[in-house]
Amino acid sequence: MKQHLIAATLAALIASPALAGKAHEPGAAKLDIAVEPGRLVISLESPLDGLLGFERAPRSAAEKRAVEAMVATLKAADTLFRIDPAAQCTLGPVTLTSAPLKLGDRAAAADDGHGDLDADFEFACKAAPAFVEVGLFKAFPRMARLDVQTATAKGQRKQVLVRPAQRVELAR
């Protein structure tokens, strides 16, 4: 029951227009973190520009290599996100969706001309983590700000991480 409550709370946070960031603000992305019993879910919504430097399908061999490197970095989420070691979390499924890059479910990724990437990272955890250190600024130098929303058994929280900050506290 509590697990469904946290998931529903995070869904409400994500859908809340009052908490939504400005669309395609240069260098800005949105990160949602939900802690459920035995599980941590991190969702990233970012314009492709902050990840790649362009917001369309790759046109050159260099751009194709940049996309491949970005995908590899995101799929290695256990190095991109350093989760409180006491929680003993292990990486589970990673889902990447982007219409211009032809990633993920094409039906769910209708190309609206904005060139976004949505990523979901799931971790199985033995205990609730107290923090997550986010390595997105180091991995993607064009990214400068993360609008972070968290939902845990202890409540909801919103914060902004600005380069070089990387730590998101989950326990209060």
Side-chain angles (χ1 to χ4, degrees), residues 35 38-40 83-90 124-131 170:
V35 178
R39 190 169 95 141
L40 171 76
I83 301 166
D84 175 8
Q88 299 179 45
C89 297
T90 55
C125 301
K126 293 186 178 180
F131 67 86
L170 299 173

Side-chain angles (χ1 to χ4, degrees), residues 7 15 17 21 23-24 42 47-48 51 57 59 61 66 80 83 100 116 141 147-148 169:
H24 285 263
I42 300 173
L48 288 173
L51 301 168
R59 295 181 183 150
L80 191 59
I83 301 166
D116 291 330
D147 295 319
V148 182
E169 297 292 338

Side-chain angles (χ1 to χ4, degrees), residues 44-46 48 51 70 74 97-98 101 103 115-119:
L44 170 68
E45 294 177 30
S46 178
L48 288 173
L51 301 168
M70 177 204 66
L74 292 172
T97 306
S98 176
L101 302 181
L103 294 173
D116 291 330
L117 179 123
D118 295 332

Side-chain angles (χ1 to χ4, degrees), residues 67-79:
V67 170
E68 290 169 4
M70 177 204 66
V71 168
T73 298
L74 292 172
K75 287 195 173 193
D78 50 350
T79 59

Side-chain angles (χ1 to χ4, degrees), residues 16-41:
S16 173
L19 296 175
K22 295 177 184 173
H24 285 263
E25 187 175 334
K30 183 177 173 188
L31 194 69
D32 296 314
I33 302 173
V35 178
E36 302 174 348
R39 190 169 95 141
L40 171 76
V41 179

